[in-house]
Amino acid sequence: MSDDIAFWLSYLTNGKHLTWYASFQFTIFAAVVGGALAVIFGLAGATMKNSRFFPLRLIGSTYSSIVRGVPDVLFFLFFPLAFEQAVEWFMAGQICTPETIAAQSAAWPPCKEANWFLGTPEYLLLASVSLGLVYGAFATNVIHGAMRAVPHGQLEAARAYGMSARQVLWRVHIRQMWVYALPGLANVWMLLVKATSLLSLLQIADIVLWADRLGAPNYLSAVGLVHDDWRWRYYLVLFVFYILVTLLSEKAFGALMQRAGRGILSEAR
């Protein structure tokens, strides 16, 4: 019995498992930063869709219509690669000389000095921006609908009290639209959390990638086969983790709904 406990303690605290535990921060970071950016992009997109100026309305409508139709995986791979190559192209124009370009054997970048080496922090930040852009398009539609749900009488009353257009927008319109938007944003948030499982596509050693590696049949030359295929056990841990995130999210959005609805009589509550 004591040998079994010693084995599990040493197994679950070896270097690979400690790295796996640490990788949970990548998923949490991507979800939190991506969610915050999605709300920012959603507010900007919805404001443009409500604008009186046609070019802004066109930009907002195009953003929410096109990005929502692109598969998450495709956008998740496209944006970081396009951004990386755009930076390298800009750097090449600044530092590459005809001699270094002629000496470059690979097709890209134009010269090796313009090569931008990306590590986990850079890929994680790009992944968060990708999540924000994709789910910001969904948030745009949610917020746009919520802004239209705010009674026009409230806005007319604010104008009658002498508020400027900016004050009406930020103090009345956006303040009241949260009551209508939060239920839809909660759904967007849950979709975004599920999409964090795609981080491994950007060479980020996240929780899904580590679960696959640790659960695969493990053989060490010193001790032989440590365990056979245990991937389902590690995936079960991830399953429990995402359920806990779901429960915490529901609690958090419930609290936000209570706070946003203070002093507002609305059917959306």
Side-chain angles (χ1 to χ4, degrees):
M1 184 67 178
S2 60
D3 291 341
D4 290 341
I5 295 175
F7 167 77
W8 283 110
L9 284 177
S10 61
Y11 178 73
L12 294 175
T13 56
N14 63 29
K16 289 184 177 178
H17 278 83
L18 292 178
T19 306
W20 183 41
Y21 305 147
S23 70
F24 277 72
Q25 64 184 317
F26 299 153
T27 297
I28 295 172
F29 178 88
V32 172
V33 176
L37 290 174
V39 172
I40 293 172
F41 291 138
L43 276 172
T47 303
M48 286 191 286
K49 286 184 74 170
N50 278 336
S51 174
R52 291 176 296 175
F53 302 103
F54 175 73
L56 292 179
R57 284 205 309 275
L58 182 62
I59 293 173
S61 301
T62 303
Y63 168 60
S64 64
S65 301
I66 292 181
V67 176
R68 281 187 304 133
V70 178
D72 294 359
V73 176
L74 182 58
F75 203 92
F76 211 70
L77 294 173
F78 167 78
F79 174 75
L81 179 62
F83 185 80
E84 178 187 357
Q85 294 203 352
V87 171
E88 290 177 340
W89 174 81
F90 177 78
M91 292 172 61
Q94 304 298 317
I95 62 178
C96 288
T97 63
E99 292 77 15
T100 58
I101 294 175
Q104 178 71 2
S105 57
W108 191 265
C111 69
K112 65 179 182 180
E113 289 80 6
N115 192 13
W116 185 25
F117 293 98
L118 297 179
T120 296
E122 290 83 6
Y123 274 123
L124 189 59
L125 192 57
L126 289 176
S128 302
V129 175
S130 298
L131 288 172
L133 284 171
V134 171
Y135 291 95
F138 290 94
T140 294
N141 259 16
V142 171
I143 294 174
H144 180 251
M147 292 178 77
R148 294 173 66 89
V150 176
H152 284 285
Q154 300 279 346
L155 308 180
E156 292 173 359
R159 295 190 192 100
Y161 274 100
M163 287 187 176
S164 64
R166 182 175 298 179
Q167 288 175 323
V168 172
L169 174 66
W170 289 103
R171 295 187 181 182
V172 180
H173 207 169
I174 290 180
R175 164 71 178 83
Q176 295 200 34
M177 73 87 187
W178 288 117
V179 179
Y180 301 94
L182 281 174
L185 291 178
N187 290 332
V188 174
W189 164 254
M190 295 315 307
L191 292 173
L192 187 150
V193 169
K194 290 168 65 176
T196 57
S197 61
L198 301 175
L199 289 177
S200 58
L201 295 176
L202 293 179
Q203 306 175 32
I204 298 172
D206 71 327
I207 55 177
V208 177
L209 185 63
W210 271 114
D212 186 73
R213 289 177 179 174
L214 293 171
N218 194 339
Y219 178 83
L220 296 177
S221 56
V223 296
L225 183 64
V226 179
H227 63 73
D228 53 9
D229 193 344
W230 282 4
R231 281 177 293 187
W232 70 270
R233 302 185 185 192
Y234 287 90
Y235 292 156
L236 184 61
V237 173
L238 297 185
F239 187 70
V240 173
F241 168 72
Y242 279 106
I243 287 179
L244 290 176
V245 171
T246 301
L247 294 176
L248 289 174
S249 300
E250 289 183 351
K251 292 284 186 185
F253 273 96
L256 287 174
M257 278 292 294
Q258 289 291 330
R259 184 176 180 80
R262 287 179 182 173
I264 298 177
L265 183 60
S266 167
E267 295 178 355
R269 296 180 59 189

